[in-house]
C-alpha cells in the first residue's frame, strides 16, 4: 500500500486487519532477544515478525486486537513527523469516544485511557507518502502480553511503571465488555470523523501479488528477523 501510494497508484487508504495466528511484531531497530520471550511464543504458537517501522514490540492478539494502517500523502499538515502522529491518532481517540471512553493522545505515538496505554502506533515514509499503523486493544490478553514481552530496565525504573501489565489497558478492562464488531465499527466511525467519508474498495490483484512476494521474500526471512 505504501509503495502504491508513493506512485500515486491508489488514493489515501485506511485498512483494518488482524493477525492469524496471534503475532508479536518488533520494531525495525530492535533486538529480538531483548524484547521477546521466544520460548513462550513458540510454546503458545505465537508468531514473531520484524516490521518496516520503528518503535516498540507489539502483541497482536488474534482474539482481542485490531490493527489499523493509514497510507497518505505526506505533504501539507502531515509533513511534520510529530504533528502527523497526533492527526492520525485522533481517529483512535474518536473511536474510543464512540465506545464510551475518554481517551487522550500522548506524544509521540500513544493513546491513553485513564493514564494507561490502549493504543500505540509507528510510522515510516517513502516517496512522499506516509505509512502509519497501530493497534486498538479492545480485548487483548494482557496476561499473555506480560509473559511474552520484556520490560526494559528504563521503564522498570520509573516509579509509576512497575510492569507491562500496569502500563496497558483494554476496552474490556475499562467498560467491562468488548465486542469485535463494535470495536471495528467504532474505528471506522472514529476515522470518518477525522478524515471524512470512507469509500469501500478492494485491493487490485497486482497489489495482492506484491504483498505476497514481500511476505515470502522479506518478512518471512529468518535472517531479517534476527538481524539485530
Amino acid at each position: 500500500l505504501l509503495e502504491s501510494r508513493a506512485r500515486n497508484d491508489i488514493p489515501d487508504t485506511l485498512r483494518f486487519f488482524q493477525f492469524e495466528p496471534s503475532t508479536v511484531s518488533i520494531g525495525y531497530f530492535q533486538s529480538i532477544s531483548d524484547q521477546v520471550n521466544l520460548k513462550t511464543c513458540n510454546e503458545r504458537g505465537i508468531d514473531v515478525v520484524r516490521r518496516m517501522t520503528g518503535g516498540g514490540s507489539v502483541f497482536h492478539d488474534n482474539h482481542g486486537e485490531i490493527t489499523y494502517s493509514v497510507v497518505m500523502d505526506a505533504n501539507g499538515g502531515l509533513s511534520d513527523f510529530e504533528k502527523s502522529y497526533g492527526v492520525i491518532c485522533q481517529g483512535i481517540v474518536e473511536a474510543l469516544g464512540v465506545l464510551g471512553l475518554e481517551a487522550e493522545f500522548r506524544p509521540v505515538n500513544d493513546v491513553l485511557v485513564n493514564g494507561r496505554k490502549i493504543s500505540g502506533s509507528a510510522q515510516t515514509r517513502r516517496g512522499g507518502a506516509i505509512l502509519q499503523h497501530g493497534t486498538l486493544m479492545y480485548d487483548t490478553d494482557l496476561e499473555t502480553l506480560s509473559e511474552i514481552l520484556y520490560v526494559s530496565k528504563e521503564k522498570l525504573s520509573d516509579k509509576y511503571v512497575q510492569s507491562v501489565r500496569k502500563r496497558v489497558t483494554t476496552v474490556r478492562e475499562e467498560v467491562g465488555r468488548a465486542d469485535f464488531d463494535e470495536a471495528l465499527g467504532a474505528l471506522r466511525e472514529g476515522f470518518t470523523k477525522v478524515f471524512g467519508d470512507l469509500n469501500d474498495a478492494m485491493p487490485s490483484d497486482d497489489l495482492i501479488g506484491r504483498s505476497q512476494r514481500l511476505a515470502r521474500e522479506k518478512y518471512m526471512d529468518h535472517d531479517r528477523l534476527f538481524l539485530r
Side-chain angles (χ1 to χ4, degrees):
L1 289 171
L2 177 61
E3 292 174 345
S4 296
R5 185 65 190 90
R7 295 192 302 266
N8 289 316
D9 291 341
I10 61 172
D12 293 345
T13 301
L14 168 66
R15 176 187 177 220
F16 300 122
F17 58 101
Q18 290 184 293
F19 285 72
E20 176 61 43
S22 296
T23 300
V24 172
S25 70
I26 64 172
Y28 181 76
F29 300 101
Q30 290 188 307
S31 166
I32 189 170
S33 61
D34 293 338
Q35 301 294 323
V36 184
N37 186 329
L38 290 174
K39 181 177 182 293
T40 301
C41 285
N42 290 333
E43 291 173 348
R44 300 194 179 192
I46 297 171
D47 279 355
V48 183
V49 67
R50 184 180 296 278
R51 302 189 306 271
M52 69 180 297
T53 57
S57 300
V58 179
F59 175 45
H60 304 273
D61 184 351
N62 177 253
H63 301 292
E65 183 264 356
I66 299 173
T67 305
Y68 80 90
S69 172
V70 173
V71 291
M72 301 184 71
D73 183 0
N75 297 318
L78 297 180
S79 59
D80 181 87
F81 184 76
E82 292 194 11
K83 289 182 179 178
S84 65
Y85 267 119
V87 171
I88 298 174
C89 285
Q90 187 62 31
I92 301 292
V93 172
E94 297 288 349
L96 290 165
V98 173
L99 294 170
L101 293 170
E102 184 175 346
E104 63 171 322
F105 170 68
R106 178 72 58 85
V108 174
N109 55 357
D110 291 337
V111 175
L112 309 183
V113 171
N114 293 323
R116 298 165 70 191
K117 182 174 177 177
I118 198 167
S119 173
S121 298
Q123 191 180 114
T124 191
R125 297 172 182 232
R126 181 176 296 171
I130 179 174
L131 162 70
Q132 180 169 311
H133 51 194
T135 65
L136 175 63
M137 296 188 291
Y138 71 93
D139 196 16
T140 297
D141 184 340
L142 298 183
E143 295 301 328
T144 297
L145 182 151
S146 65
E147 292 173 7
I148 62 176
L149 298 185
Y150 295 134
V151 182
S152 69
K153 293 180 180 179
E154 291 78 11
K155 289 180 179 177
L156 281 173
S157 67
D158 186 332
K159 64 181 180 180
Y160 300 108
V161 180
Q162 297 302 315
S163 70
V164 172
R165 186 65 177 79
K166 293 181 180 179
R167 293 172 49 239
V168 297
T169 189
T170 67
V171 173
R172 180 180 292 280
E173 288 223 336
E174 297 298 325
V175 301
R177 58 182 176 80
D179 178 79
F180 169 80
D181 291 331
E182 185 179 7
L184 184 61
L187 281 168
R188 181 174 181 124
E189 185 174 343
F191 278 99
T192 296
K193 289 182 178 181
V194 175
F195 295 115
D197 291 337
L198 305 173
N199 299 316
D200 292 329
M202 294 295 293
S204 67
D205 290 341
D206 287 344
L207 194 151
I208 292 174
R210 172 60 176 155
S211 70
Q212 291 172 339
R213 289 194 298 274
L214 281 170
R216 290 193 307 269
E217 299 169 5
K218 183 175 182 179
Y219 294 100
M220 295 175 69
D221 180 61
H222 183 272
D223 291 338
R224 182 180 187 275
L225 180 60
F226 289 90
L227 61 86
R228 287 174 178 78

